Amino acid sequence: MKVTILANYAPNAYKGLIQGSDREAAIKTLFESVGGKVFGVMFTRGAYDIVVNAEVPDQAAGMGLALAVRASGSVTDLVVLEELDMKAVLAAANKAARVYKPAG
């Protein structure tokens, strides 16, 4: 399952960055620990400090990874975006639209 992670560092984490903590290596090790793979890490300016494009084996691995990062206190915001198979989503939407009766 492909994921995009958007996150902001907590103030105490900036100290580690300034002191030279290799966050890209740490992120790759983190994903590998749950059977995942990192395709790219971008440090950004704007709404988020970091964007990670990666893959995890399943939702449980992705949520476990996110839970561990949140519990560390090193981020103030963490968004996990999962890639969808739009053909499958649209097939389900079309089935549901045929039977759904809106209120009123």
Side-chain angles (χ1 to χ4, degrees):
M1 176 175 84
K2 291 183 181 175
V3 295
T4 297
I5 309 287
L6 309 171
N8 286 313
Y9 285 110
N12 61 309
Y14 287 118
K15 186 176 182 178
L17 287 171
I18 291 169
Q19 293 173 346
S21 178
D22 185 349
R23 301 321 305 155
E24 189 167 348
I27 291 164
K28 287 179 179 179
T29 300
L30 176 66
F31 272 85
E32 289 168 1
S33 77
V34 298
K37 181 179 179 182
V38 173
F39 301 117
V41 175
M42 283 192 308
F43 295 93
T44 59
R45 184 176 66 138
Y48 293 97
D49 297 327
I50 188 164
V51 177
V52 179
N53 289 305
E55 188 172 70
V56 291
D58 52 36
Q59 286 182 326
M63 284 302 299
L65 185 147
L67 184 61
V69 172
R70 286 184 175 111
S72 76
S74 64
V75 297
T76 58
D77 191 17
L78 181 77
V79 177
V80 180
L81 304 172
E82 298 175 7
E83 182 181 53
L84 296 174
D85 175 353
M86 279 308 290
K87 288 182 181 180
V89 170
L90 292 173
N94 282 311
K95 287 179 185 178
R98 285 192 291 271
V99 299
Y100 178 69
K101 302 290 184 222

